[in-house]
Amino acid sequence: VASLFWTGLCDTQEVATIMGTKGQIVFQRPAHTPTTLTLTSQVSRTETKHETFHFDLPEEDGSHEFFYPGSIALQYEAEAVRLAALEGAIELPHWTHDESIACHKIMGQVRQQLGVAGTK
């Protein structure tokens, strides 16, 4: 089961939550470049454990102008790809080509179900 809310008409919470059978992960605001996430684990039927993790954004030197706040975090992805290319790798161990294909298929299905133009 998935639930998606998107609007361009107002400000939203900008959080993302992944829920599973043993707990949930909440990516705090802004979800597209979170610096904080909270992991809630179901310890027992009546007890949960909460852990919060913080990740610093790279330092900005002012040489780039970003439309979306926090976009400097995309630097992490670019650096991972650069290092993989230098090593001659054609995929990253923590995000494989098969996972990329699966993600694109899911996003295609979501767009199709939403009736986004250009999808078959």
Side-chain angles (χ1 to χ4, degrees), residues 37-52:
L37 68 85
T38 303
L39 171 64
T40 301
S41 303
Q42 194 73 37
V43 176
S44 69
R45 189 167 167 82
T46 59
E47 182 184 357
T48 55
K49 176 183 171 185
H50 302 280
E51 297 177 85
T52 300

Side-chain angles (χ1 to χ4, degrees), residues 5-99:
F5 172 76
W6 178 89
T7 181
L9 300 176
C10 63
D11 288 331
T12 64
Q13 291 180 327
E14 288 191 65
V15 297
T17 303
I18 301 171
M19 301 176 82
T21 58
K22 297 182 181 182
Q24 67 182 15
I25 301 171
V26 178
F27 296 88
Q28 302 297 340
R29 176 182 191 127
H32 69 282
T33 58
T35 56
T36 304
L37 68 85
T38 303
L39 171 64
T40 301
S41 303
Q42 194 73 37
V43 176
S44 69
R45 189 167 167 82
T46 59
E47 182 184 357
T48 55
K49 176 183 171 185
H50 302 280
E51 297 177 85
T52 300
F53 301 90
H54 300 280
F55 306 93
D56 294 328
L57 291 176
E59 292 291 323
E60 290 192 48
D61 62 7
S63 63
H64 299 87
E65 187 174 328
F66 298 103
F67 185 74
Y68 296 105
S71 292
I72 189 72
L74 296 173
Q75 174 179 319
Y76 291 127
E77 292 180 44
E79 180 66 5
V81 170
R82 185 185 77 81
L83 292 174
L86 288 173
E87 295 173 0
I90 59 170
E91 65 182 13
L92 298 171
H94 54 278
W95 188 261
T96 66
H97 183 255
D98 287 342
E99 290 169 319

